[in-house]
Amino acid sequence: MEYTVQRLARLAGVSTRTLRYYDEIGLLKPARVNSSGYRIYSEAEVDRLQQILFYRELGVSLDRIKEIVTSPSFDEVRALREHREKLLEKRRQLDLLIANVDKTIALKEGRIEMSDKERFEGFKKRMIEDNERRYGKEIREKYGKETVEKSNAKLMNMTQEEYDRATSLAEEIRVTLTEAFKTGDPAGELAQRAADLHRQWLSFYWDSYTREAHAGLAQMYADDERFTAYYDKDQPGTAAFFRDAILIYTGMKK
Amino acid sequence: MEYTVQRLARLAGVSTRTLRYYDEIGLLKPARVNSSGYRIYSEAEVDRLQQILFYRELGVSLDRIKEIVTSPSFDEVRALREHREKLLEKRRQLDLLIANVDKTIALKEGRIEMSDKERFEGFKKRMIEDNERRYGKEIREKYGKETVEKSNAKLMNMTQEEYDRATSLAEEIRVTLTEAFKTGDPAGELAQRAADLHRQWLSFYWDSYTREAHAGLAQMYADDERFTAYYDKDQPGTAAFFRDAILIYTGMKK
DNA sequence: GTTACACCTTTACGCAGCGTCAATGTCAAC
DNA sequence: GTTGACATTGACGCTGCGTAAAGGTGTAAC
């Protein structure tokens, strides 16, 4: 029995375009081509198409299907297992999305009044996500993956009291720094107090403190406009001043 | 504060290409364009971008996001709800896929020995699926959706005994028909017996038997090569002969 | 003043898996 | 000889950008 494209297409329940595409990508070539250029398929191609469609229904990519059906020694089970993993990952993503959509709907409707604790948890998570989005890749490159993960983990484990303490520390730093800047002396008492407060603040996020890392961070503050924008907001030059203060504090500069 | 593409891109953690694309599709246009054609964004655009990215993370399509962020009166909750439905549907599909992949892996590994009953159930299902794929659309058009659904439902409800009986009936038909064909007389005893057996066979699949439907099916058998291929395999002409026999049996032809 | 270099622009192909014209050739039947 | 069904290749479109390529700007350093 021989089939033209349309006959085979109807037999298998696919479109002729699909068959031509499969020919094009070398997934299913016709048994022969007649003198007018018509594609002629025979039984072997019917079987192969059935196999192809079987894997397609499982969501396997045509590329992968090609590997599977062309090499008879191909490890189908392994391929399927890997495919399964991908599907599971997709589902996890989907579940996350759905949960987030649900939460958003509930929030927009005002149905859920978040408790302080929940709000706090959500806030911490968002902070991490936000930080990730903004600086994640860069910081990971500079400080290594582990440092960042640990920092995030530490933040997630902070109690609200610790968090509040860290937040008020940040505010204290800002105030002290503003005053210190007016003295113009990064080695002065005020500037050094700001640097010390910053060390305390840091230890809320960092697992272990080293003067080198602290100095490195200070340098980054001054180099990166996204940080300087924050410190220089009221008094341009503050970021650089703060860097100098920390460099002196950590002993990296006289 | 004003931003060039790259600054805004870094701030929001997206690529410049993304921003230019959003400009292109009218999702996020810059506040203004300077004399050299540079895109200049300001605070309002930062906010809007944050909103866009928020919905993007929920998996909403850019088209939909556009609707949401452009018209302030847009019913966000409804949009989210619809989006949620789509996500759920996707997950259902995924779950099905995963289950099928699991089954396939187990089968290929030979881990599960299907019981006769399971094998039978699976076989019935496959038969229906196969029939669906091959003839579904066509038959639905000819006989109406209901007939087909009922037929499928009946098949699924058949016991194994009934199923075996139907299968052996089919074999009996084949044998009888082969002999009848040799007599060359579609009105003869053998041919009419074959037609009667076919009626019995049909009643396993059809909810209600009518001579008209039977005759119609016979006509289809002879017209459709996918059926004739089956009947004419050993003796070409058998399909037409069988049609004549049934037409006589049903009184549609003298 | 120019040279370097980072940053900007538009244009356009590529990705998966086909759907959907469009323009044109072939085959069997009336 | 003409219709009508079926075949062919070619090419664009869909989503959401990534990734060149080719060329203009901005600004700091020499």
Side-chain angles (χ1 to χ4, degrees), chain A residues 60-95:
Chain A
V60 181
S61 76
L62 297 188
D63 248 23
R64 211 115 182 93
I65 293 180
K66 198 169 161 184
E67 290 178 13
I68 296 177
V69 298
T70 50
S71 83
S73 66
F74 194 83
D75 190 343
E76 286 179 59
V77 173
R78 205 163 67 86
L80 282 175
R81 231 184 263 291
E82 283 165 18
H83 182 57
R84 188 191 128 93
E85 274 314 305
K86 274 193 279 181
L87 292 180
L88 285 179
E89 178 56 28
K90 258 195 197 170
R91 192 172 58 176
R92 272 192 291 273
Q93 297 280 352
L94 252 185
D95 283 344

Side-chain angles (χ1 to χ4, degrees), chain A residues 7 81 84 102 109, chain B residues 81 84 95 102 109 225:
Chain A
R7 279 169 203 271
R81 231 184 263 291
R84 188 191 128 93
D102 281 350
E109 281 186 328
Chain B
R81 230 182 264 290
R84 188 190 128 95
D95 284 343
D102 282 349
E109 282 186 327
E225 66 182 59

Side-chain angles (χ1 to χ4, degrees), chain A residues 1 7 11-12 50 57-58 76 81 84 91 95 97 100 102 105 108-109 133-134 225, chain B residues 7 11-12 50 57-58 76 80-81 84 87 91 95 97 100 102 108-109 133-134 225:
Chain A
M1 194 62 177
R7 279 169 203 271
L11 180 63
Q50 293 291 351
E57 269 176 42
L58 295 184
E76 286 179 59
R81 231 184 263 291
R84 188 191 128 93
R91 192 172 58 176
D95 283 344
L97 278 192
N100 279 333
D102 281 350
I105 291 176
K108 297 235 181 238
E109 281 186 328
R133 251 221 319 281
R134 290 184 188 217
E225 65 182 56
Chain B
R7 279 169 203 271
L11 180 64
Q50 291 293 353
E57 270 177 39
L58 295 183
E76 288 179 57
L80 283 174
R81 230 182 264 290
R84 188 190 128 95
L87 292 180
R91 192 173 58 176
D95 284 343
L97 278 192
N100 279 332
D102 282 349
K108 296 233 184 241
E109 282 186 327
R133 255 224 312 284
R134 291 184 187 217
E225 66 182 59

Side-chain angles (χ1 to χ4, degrees), chain B residues 50-97:
Chain B
Q50 291 293 353
Q51 221 195 331
I52 290 171
L53 294 182
F54 171 74
Y55 283 106
R56 193 182 69 164
E57 270 177 39
L58 295 183
V60 181
S61 76
L62 297 187
D63 246 26
R64 209 117 183 91
I65 294 180
K66 198 170 163 186
E67 289 179 13
I68 296 177
V69 298
T70 49
S71 84
S73 66
F74 194 83
D75 189 344
E76 288 179 57
V77 173
R78 205 164 66 87
L80 283 174
R81 230 182 264 290
E82 283 166 17
H83 182 58
R84 188 190 128 95
E85 275 314 307
K86 272 194 284 181
L87 292 180
L88 285 180
E89 178 55 27
K90 258 195 198 170
R91 192 173 58 176
R92 271 193 291 275
Q93 296 281 352
L94 254 184
D95 284 343
L96 250 173
L97 278 192

Side-chain angles (χ1 to χ4, degrees), chain A residues 220-238:
Chain A
M220 200 171 122
Y221 275 10
D223 290 345
D224 193 316
E225 65 182 56
R226 289 164 302 185
F227 289 102
T228 60
Y230 172 71
Y231 284 109
D232 287 0
K233 201 163 45 189
D234 300 325
Q235 295 171 326
T238 307

